[in-house]
């Protein structure tokens, strides 16, 4: 039985195929269309998924869509009618946008299957159910509490529930405009970044500010009710009216002038980011404690765009009282394609649960012959090395910045070692060098370490395994001098633990580097420049290589130098 | 030839046409609030409790002002029809048919179809139309 999962309604359009319960491929549309976080219908991704899985459209039995557009429609209508002074953006955002999105789905469906008798069944799965149930169903836990948080999906903004076997129960749901995701987006806008896009930058900025300065004010903006519902003082915001500005007049009166990008940061911008980050963590923790009390569960799965906030996840691991947490690698809207597919497979079709999503390398891959063809076409001189890991490790030890393009592409927003830029984390100036010469981005932004799983506790606080770079532990005090390029100003690091079972080549590279440098950790950042999606093909990698300050590019077993 | 209408009645009709539409939005808001608090998710009451009164009043006035043109657009033909019905002396019949029909529709949509928006809209419309008609019939 083959289920095609698709997400296309908001952003991060994605397609995936679940074959007899196994996730065989998942690809984000942005990697193919080269438009970051695109919400366009993922036609290219669907086609590529079918090719990678070796299937035809006629092989698909079910299509799972991670949106149920008619869910909560009455709430939307009444909300729109109550706020007639903002009728225009409401109609544009909620009615016209929804119409065009659904038309895209209908056109693709008709074009692909027409009046064929073998048309697959179309299932519409609510957005938060796709996040929450989907993440639980592919987690390693038999039972777990479930927390899903994001800006909004249909009309809901959070999901608190419990998963047991193939059953998912919902305890509480919050609705727009009471949204923790939108609350945090306002801080992103205030700091001069793009809301609903650059929240990671706000998270990275937060450790540079003083969270206490505005803590009282920010804390008063958001609360969590006894039943887990989110409460926001909307008088500080504008996001509830779908405007271009998230922050309201009162917000600016309270916190000061917003940063005008690309102007320099002032202290109050850093302090606001710090306070919003702290309060987001506090509220998420309150919800986790409520869940723990209500469910008695020892495990927790977190889903939704807010769960990409790896600093928040780190605090949840430390303070929530749960023994273990699971966040899927594509925890944002891209993962809802996978979530919807598994919800249909396990909950609608009643198939047993027997898959754990612990391998993020499920995109398409390029063979040696395909790489050679590209190199020939580009007239590039490349060296072939059988032991490419040793070559890469030696280059890293020399202080070179490498483009590293290997095997199957990873799903999710983090480069996890197959489409990565790698460097030596022991060199103090490396962070500034990559930010300025390669990534062309803000100087403060930190880089993540990839460490072999065996060495995790030698260098980092023990928050458990972190294979998808979604937890932020502290770097141990004695290791901070050894890892200056990946230790953030507050002593933390967004760690990725690398396992030889899921990515043997990357594991070998880091091990070889460890033999040379004494530290089995490399600096790992996504293989792209600011504003672009991560590279997908060898051609994308070559283009990025020659337009940045990368020293050497390694594609498969081929080394390309400048 | 029908006898000309009394001036006092014509004044009442004119006043009704001019003064009723501004009431449409507050009536609708009130019904929304009751429905959401009693049957719904208590979103509005949470919002009201959590936001400063001055900000709420400002927003309410803005939305009310935006609702005015729509209210007049909707109210004039609807109330015109209602006035006609009252003057034809069939208001009692209409009321006795309309109120139970609306109630049944509201209950059905709320319980069977799980559509809470319809009772709110229907109740708002009923209050908005029937109340002025009753006032008018007394003039």
């Amino acid at each position: 039985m083959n289920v095609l999962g698709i997400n296309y309604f908001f952003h991060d359009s994605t397609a995936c195929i679940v074959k007899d319960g196994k996730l065989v491929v998942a690809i984000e549309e942005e990697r193919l269309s080269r438009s970051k976080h695109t919400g366009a219908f993922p036609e290219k991704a669907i086609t590529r998924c079918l090719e990678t899985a070796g299937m035809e459209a006629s092989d698909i039995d079910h299509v799972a869509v991670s949106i149920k557009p008619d869910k909560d429609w009455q709430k939307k209508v009444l909300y729109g009618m109550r706020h007639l002074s903002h009728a225009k953006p409401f109609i544009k955002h909620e009615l016209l946008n929804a119409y065009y999105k659904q038309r895209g789905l209908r056109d693709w469906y008709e074009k692909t299957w027409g009046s064929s008798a073998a048309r697959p069944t179309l299932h519409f799965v609510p957005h938060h159910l796709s996040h929450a149930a989907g993440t639980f169903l592919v987690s390693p836990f038999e039972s777990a509490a479930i927390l899903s948080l994001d800006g909004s999906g249909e009309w809901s903004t959070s999901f608190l529930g419990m998963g047991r076997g193939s059953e998912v129960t919902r305890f509480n749901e919050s609705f727009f405009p009471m949204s923790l995701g939108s609350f945090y987006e306002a801080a992103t806008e205030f700091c001069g970044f793009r809301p609903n896009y650059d929240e990671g930058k706000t998270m990275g900025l937060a450790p540079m500010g003083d969270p206490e300065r505005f803590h009282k004010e920010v804390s008063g903006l958001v609360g969590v009710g006894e039943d887990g519902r989110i409460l926001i003082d909307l008088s500080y915001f504008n996001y509830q009216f779908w405007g271009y500005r998230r922050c309201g007049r009162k917000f600016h009166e309270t916190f000061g002038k917003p940063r005008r990008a690309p102007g320099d940061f002032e202290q109050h911008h850093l302090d606001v980011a710090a306070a919003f980050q702290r309060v987001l963590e506090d509220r998420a923790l309150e919800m986790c404690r409520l869940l723990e009390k209500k469910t008695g569960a020892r495990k927790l799965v977190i889903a939704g765009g807010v769960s990409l906030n790896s600093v928040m996840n780190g605090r949840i691991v430390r303070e929530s009282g749960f023994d273990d947490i699971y966040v899927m690698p594509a925890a944002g809207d891209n993962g809802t394609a996978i979530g919807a597919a598994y919800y249909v497979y396990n909950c609608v079709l009643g198939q047993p649960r027997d898959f754990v999503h612990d391998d993020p390398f499920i995109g398409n891959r390029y063979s040696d012959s395909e790489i050679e063809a590209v190199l020939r076409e580009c007239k590039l001189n490349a060296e072939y090395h059988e032991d490419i890991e040793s070559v890469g490790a030696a280059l890293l030890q020399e202080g070179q910045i490498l483009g590293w393009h290997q095997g199957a592409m990873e799903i999710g927003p983090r480069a996890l070692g197959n489409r990565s830029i790698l460097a030596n984390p022991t060199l103090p100036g490396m962070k500034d060098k990559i930010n300025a010469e390669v990534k062309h981005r803000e100087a403060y932004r930190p880089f993540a370490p990839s460490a072999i799983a065996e060495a995790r506790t030698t260098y980092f606080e023990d928050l458990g395994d972190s294979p998808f770079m979604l937890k932020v532990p502290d770097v141990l005090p004695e290791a901070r001098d050894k890892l200056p390029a990946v230790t953030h100003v507050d002593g933390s690091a967004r760690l990725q633990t690398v396992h030889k079972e899921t990515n043997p080549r990357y594991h070998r590279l880091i091990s070889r580097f460890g033999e040379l440098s004494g530290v089995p950790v490399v600096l790992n950042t996504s293989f792209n420049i600011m504003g672009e999606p991560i590279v997908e093909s060898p051609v994308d990698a070559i283009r990025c290589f020659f337009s940045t300050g990368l020293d050497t590019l390694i594609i498969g077993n081929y080394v390309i130098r400048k | 030839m029908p006898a000309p209408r009394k001036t006092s009645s014509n004044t009442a009709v004119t006043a009704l046409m001019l003064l009723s539409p501004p009431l449409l939005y507050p009536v609708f808001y009130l019904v929304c609030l009751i429905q959401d608090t009693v049957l719904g998710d208590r979103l509005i009451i949470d919002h009201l409790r959590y936001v400063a009164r001055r900000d709420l009043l400002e927003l309410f006035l803005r939305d009310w002002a935006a609702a005015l043109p729509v209210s007049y657009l909707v109210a004039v033909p609807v109330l015109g029809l209602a006035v006609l019905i009252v003057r034809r002396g069939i208001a009692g019949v209409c009321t006795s048919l309309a109120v139970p029909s609306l109630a049944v529709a509201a209950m059905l949509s709320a319980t069977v179809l799980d559509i809470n928006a319809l009772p709110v809209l229907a109740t708002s419309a009923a209050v908005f139309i029937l109340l002025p008609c009753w006032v008018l019939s007394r003039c």
Side-chain angles (χ1 to χ4, degrees):
Chain A
M1 185 185 302
N2 303 319
V3 183
L4 171 69
I6 48 178
N7 166 57
Y8 62 91
F9 208 83
F10 300 107
H11 47 85
D12 294 302
S13 295
T14 302
C16 74
I17 292 175
V18 173
K19 184 180 181 184
D20 298 327
K22 301 278 180 287
L23 181 62
V24 289
V25 59
I27 298 174
E28 289 153 271
E29 182 74 2
E30 64 161 31
R31 308 291 165 89
L32 306 170
S33 69
R34 310 306 300 154
S35 169
K36 198 170 181 180
H37 295 309
T38 183
F41 191 80
E43 216 166 331
K44 291 187 180 78
I46 293 169
T47 308
R48 190 66 68 88
C49 279
L50 289 169
E51 282 169 14
T52 306
M55 290 181 190
E56 301 285 331
S58 55
D59 296 325
I60 299 296
D61 303 303
H62 297 269
V63 177
V65 178
S66 65
I67 189 81
K68 197 167 189 295
D70 60 343
K71 182 179 181 284
D72 299 322
W73 70 266
Q74 57 265 49
K75 285 193 177 70
K76 286 185 205 178
V77 168
L78 293 180
Y79 185 85
M81 289 178 74
R82 277 207 316 278
H83 298 293
L84 280 171
S85 56
H86 299 87
K88 208 170 133 188
F90 171 78
I91 290 167
K92 186 181 163 196
H93 190 274
E94 294 296 333
L95 303 181
L96 294 179
N97 182 45
Y99 167 75
Y100 284 115
K101 289 285 180 186
Q102 289 310 93
R103 203 175 69 170
L105 171 71
R106 192 194 60 199
D107 290 350
W108 164 78
Y109 188 83
E110 292 299 329
K111 192 174 80 184
T112 309
W113 287 285
S115 55
S116 152
R119 282 152 68 112
T121 314
L122 202 50
H123 303 264
F124 292 95
V125 183
H127 184 78
H128 268 278
L129 202 56
S130 303
H131 270 309
T135 304
F136 168 68
L137 293 168
V138 298
S139 76
F141 308 140
E142 175 54 28
S143 67
I146 304 173
L147 173 66
S148 173
L149 296 167
D150 75 359
S152 94
E154 289 113 6
W155 205 242
S156 59
T157 61
S158 74
F159 179 107
L160 278 75
M162 173 80 187
R164 193 172 280 114
S166 294
E167 274 182 25
V168 173
T169 316
R170 186 183 66 202
F171 300 138
N172 186 270
E173 201 172 8
S174 295
F175 294 97
F176 187 82
M178 302 299 176
S179 160
L180 266 185
S182 301
F183 157 86
Y184 196 77
E185 283 170 18
T188 301
E189 178 189 278
F190 184 78
C191 294
F193 306 127
R194 193 169 150 192
N196 201 15
Y197 191 95
D198 282 335
E199 277 62 42
K201 293 184 184 181
T202 313
M203 184 184 78
L205 191 66
M208 302 171 80
D210 172 14
E212 293 306 323
R213 182 176 165 199
F214 291 119
H215 187 264
K216 192 176 158 211
E217 290 85 349
V218 179
S219 201
L221 299 185
V222 56
V224 175
E226 283 176 12
D227 52 358
R229 69 169 56 205
I230 299 163
L231 302 161
I232 307 267
D233 182 347
L234 294 168
S235 58
Y236 284 77
F237 302 97
N238 268 339
Y239 71 80
Q240 64 272 31
F241 304 125
W242 311 272
Y244 293 105
R245 296 270 160 238
R246 258 64 166 182
C247 307
R249 181 169 37 88
K250 211 166 153 184
F251 193 104
H252 295 143
E253 284 168 5
T254 309
F255 300 115
K257 279 189 182 169
R259 172 178 171 250
R260 301 285 175 211
D264 288 337
F265 291 103
E266 292 176 42
Q267 189 56 44
H268 70 280
H269 299 132
L270 310 182
D271 296 340
V272 165
F276 270 75
Q277 176 65 33
R278 171 74 65 83
V279 171
L280 173 79
E281 293 166 17
D282 292 344
R283 298 299 172 261
L285 267 170
E286 281 177 47
M287 295 169 105
C288 289
R289 287 183 185 130
L290 270 171
L291 268 174
E292 195 206 2
K293 207 168 149 188
K294 187 157 179 71
T295 62
R298 302 308 314 143
K299 317 280 188 197
L300 172 71
V301 298
I302 317 177
V306 177
S307 67
L308 290 171
N309 192 308
S310 40
V311 179
M312 177 192 84
N313 296 344
R315 256 192 89 189
I316 289 174
V317 175
R318 279 187 211 103
E319 299 176 34
S320 68
F322 284 101
D323 295 338
D324 199 0
I325 70 166
Y326 173 82
V327 189
M328 72 149 76
D333 279 5
N334 32 22
T336 60
I338 299 170
Y342 273 96
Y343 181 79
V344 167
Y345 187 77
N346 294 130
C347 301
V348 177
L349 303 173
Q351 297 295 319
R353 261 182 84 193
D354 60 355
F355 175 78
V356 176
H357 185 13
D358 54 4
D359 181 2
F361 308 102
I362 46 171
N364 48 326
R365 60 174 70 237
Y366 291 85
S367 64
D368 275 359
S369 58
E370 285 171 310
I371 296 167
E372 278 169 18
V374 170
L375 295 174
R376 266 199 309 277
E377 196 181 327
C378 296
K379 295 180 181 169
L380 288 172
N381 292 320
E383 306 152 18
Y384 183 91
H385 292 271
E386 199 58 52
D387 185 9
I388 197 72
E389 299 88 346
S390 297
V391 175
L395 292 169
L396 290 172
Q397 177 62 8
E398 282 173 24
Q400 289 207 16
I401 305 170
L402 301 188
W404 180 256
H405 185 288
Q406 301 291 334
M409 186 172 59
E410 46 275 75
I411 181 79
R414 311 276 179 248
L416 298 172
N418 277 4
R419 302 288 188 278
S420 290
I421 289 172
L422 306 177
N424 185 336
T426 65
L427 303 175
M430 189 52 85
K431 185 186 95 167
D432 295 336
K433 192 176 174 195
I434 300 177
N435 269 334
E437 294 177 10
V438 180
K439 301 283 279 190
H440 307 303
R441 65 183 201 179
E442 297 85 354
Y444 78 87
R445 291 180 63 190
F447 290 109
S450 292
I452 54 170
E454 298 85 342
R456 173 171 61 84
T457 51
T458 312
Y459 299 94
F460 303 95
E461 175 195 9
D462 187 4
L463 290 186
D465 201 20
S466 177
F468 311 136
M469 221 183 256
L470 287 168
K471 291 177 194 166
V472 174
D474 284 336
V475 182
L476 294 177
E478 62 273 22
R480 288 178 192 176
D481 288 343
K482 290 181 191 163
L483 298 168
V486 291
T487 305
H488 202 17
V489 288
D490 60 347
S492 66
R494 195 175 65 200
L495 173 68
Q496 179 201 359
T497 46
V498 180
H499 296 257
K500 65 175 84 151
E501 295 79 16
T502 46
N503 198 341
R505 173 163 280 189
Y506 193 39
H507 188 275
R508 269 200 305 277
L509 171 81
I510 302 171
S511 301
R512 298 277 184 281
F513 177 72
E515 289 162 14
L516 296 174
S517 67
V519 183
V521 180
V522 297
L523 180 156
N524 173 11
T525 184
S526 51
F527 197 164
N528 63 342
I529 57 170
M530 192 165 80
E532 282 191 3
I534 299 174
V535 301
E536 187 268 332
S537 64
V539 173
D540 296 335
I542 290 166
R543 195 179 291 132
C544 187
F545 175 58
F546 283 108
S547 61
T548 62
L550 284 172
D551 296 310
T552 304
L553 172 62
I554 297 180
I555 306 180
N557 288 69
Y558 296 88
V559 178
I560 303 149
R561 300 175 200 269
K562 278 181 178 164
Chain B
M1 283 282 287
R5 292 279 167 202
K6 284 190 291 183
T7 313
S8 63
S9 177
N10 287 341
T11 311
V13 170
T14 312
L16 177 74
M17 292 291 187
L18 289 173
L19 298 177
S20 294
L23 297 176
L24 181 56
Y25 180 75
V27 165
F28 164 73
Y29 201 105
L30 187 69
V31 177
C32 273
L33 177 64
I34 295 167
Q35 183 270 337
D36 184 58
T37 309
V38 178
L39 298 169
D41 303 288
R42 293 186 288 114
L43 285 175
I44 306 174
I45 200 85
D46 278 348
H47 183 191
L48 296 179
R49 277 208 304 244
Y50 216 69
V51 178
R53 288 206 177 88
R54 191 171 152 267
D55 298 302
L56 270 178
L57 185 66
E58 201 180 296
L59 178 63
F60 181 80
L61 291 176
R62 269 213 314 266
D63 287 330
W64 194 355
L68 271 180
V70 182
S71 304
Y72 275 101
L73 220 62
V74 171
V76 170
V78 172
L79 284 178
L81 194 65
V83 167
L84 196 70
I85 290 167
V86 169
R87 289 193 165 172
R88 294 279 176 198
I90 50 174
V93 179
C94 285
T95 309
S96 56
L97 285 175
V99 171
S101 309
L102 278 172
V104 170
M107 273 169 55
L108 270 177
S109 59
T111 53
V112 181
L113 303 173
D114 191 27
I115 300 172
N116 296 326
L118 282 185
V120 173
L121 297 175
T123 315
S124 306
V127 171
F128 178 68
I129 294 167
L130 295 177
L131 202 64
C133 285
W134 180 78
V135 172
L136 196 64
S137 66
R138 304 275 136 194
C139 293

